Structures are given as C-alpha cells and as structure tokens.
Amino acid sequence: MQMTAQPFWKTKKPSEFTPAEWESVCAHCGQCCLLKIQDEDGEEVFYTKVICRHFDDAGRLCKCYANRCALVPECLRLTPQNIAGISWIPDSCAYKILFETGSLPSWHPLITGRPLDSRRAVPAGLPRD
C-alpha cells in the first residue's frame, strides 16, 4: 500500500512555505482588495463595496499583481510574518484560517482542485467552514 504525501500546509509552518506555496493559499476572493476605513478614534474597521481598480472580478486576480504595492501604496502584501498582526483581515480569509487553525477550509481551491466560485466571492465573503 502506497502512502500519499501530506499537503504542504499540513507539514510546514507558514514561515516555512516557499513563495509559490504561500501564494497558492490565496483563494482570490478579493476581500483584501476592498476599500476599508478605520475609525480614527477606535479600532473599528468598516468595509465598503469599493474594490481596487486593478482587481479583475471576472478572473479573480489583480491585473498588476507583481507591481501592486508600487502602483497602489495602500496595498498590503500579506506575509507569514505580518498576517497575525493585521486586525482587519476577514475571518473567512484563507490565510487567516490557515494561520489560526493550521488547515484550509473545505471550499479552498487547494482542497477542491477548482477555482473559487465567483458567486461566493466579493464582497459577501466565505464561511470559515
């Protein structure tokens, strides 16, 4: 009986992921591309329905991904080092779920083998599972 190798997210910490592995965790839901406003007097974050002009809703990808932070200074590059400290990341974000639980939700493209269903994406969000 041949044993199947465990997926990388079950055998490594996010800090050990290769850049390609880290990028593959992104489910391309577009939630981080939505404009958010934080209350100056508190920490409350308000989500809008305004999405970055570079987000291609049909393709579920940023049209200028490699240069996004240069073209949009407010764009934040999520990394294994900063994910825990970003309070506005939605609970349904695959990066956040992986960081908090060590696993990916059943709807994730790495689990299903299919891209995220666009009807479940921006701006409604996705269940944690």
Side-chain angles (χ1 to χ4, degrees), residues 9 14 17 21-32 78 83 89-111 116 125-129:
W9 64 88
F17 290 3
E21 289 169 340
W22 177 254
E23 291 296 327
S24 72
V25 171
C26 179
H28 303 287
C29 68
Q31 292 182 94
C32 61
L78 298 177
I83 191 78
I89 301 268
D91 287 340
S92 58
C93 172
Y95 285 123
K96 184 173 182 175
I97 294 168
L98 179 64
F99 184 82
E100 291 179 349
T101 69
S103 190
L104 292 173
S106 62
W107 52 258
H108 195 277
L110 287 173
I111 304 284
L116 189 63
L126 298 165
R128 288 184 69 93
D129 212 19

Side-chain angles (χ1 to χ4, degrees), residues 26-84:
C26 179
H28 303 287
C29 68
Q31 292 182 94
C32 61
C33 299
L34 290 170
L35 178 66
K36 291 158 278 305
I37 302 168
Q38 186 167 7
D39 182 355
E40 288 183 14
D41 298 326
E43 300 211 5
E44 189 171 8
V45 176
F46 302 93
Y47 295 86
T48 71
K49 292 184 179 184
V50 178
I51 197 158
C52 177
R53 69 184 178 276
H54 298 293
F55 186 74
D56 174 15
D57 191 46
R60 316 291 326 143
L61 297 168
C62 177
K63 294 180 273 188
C64 62
Y65 189 77
N67 298 316
R68 69 192 184 281
C69 294
L71 294 171
V72 182
E74 299 82 23
C75 186
L76 177 65
R77 186 179 310 267
L78 298 177
T79 68
Q81 292 74 34
N82 70 9
I83 191 78

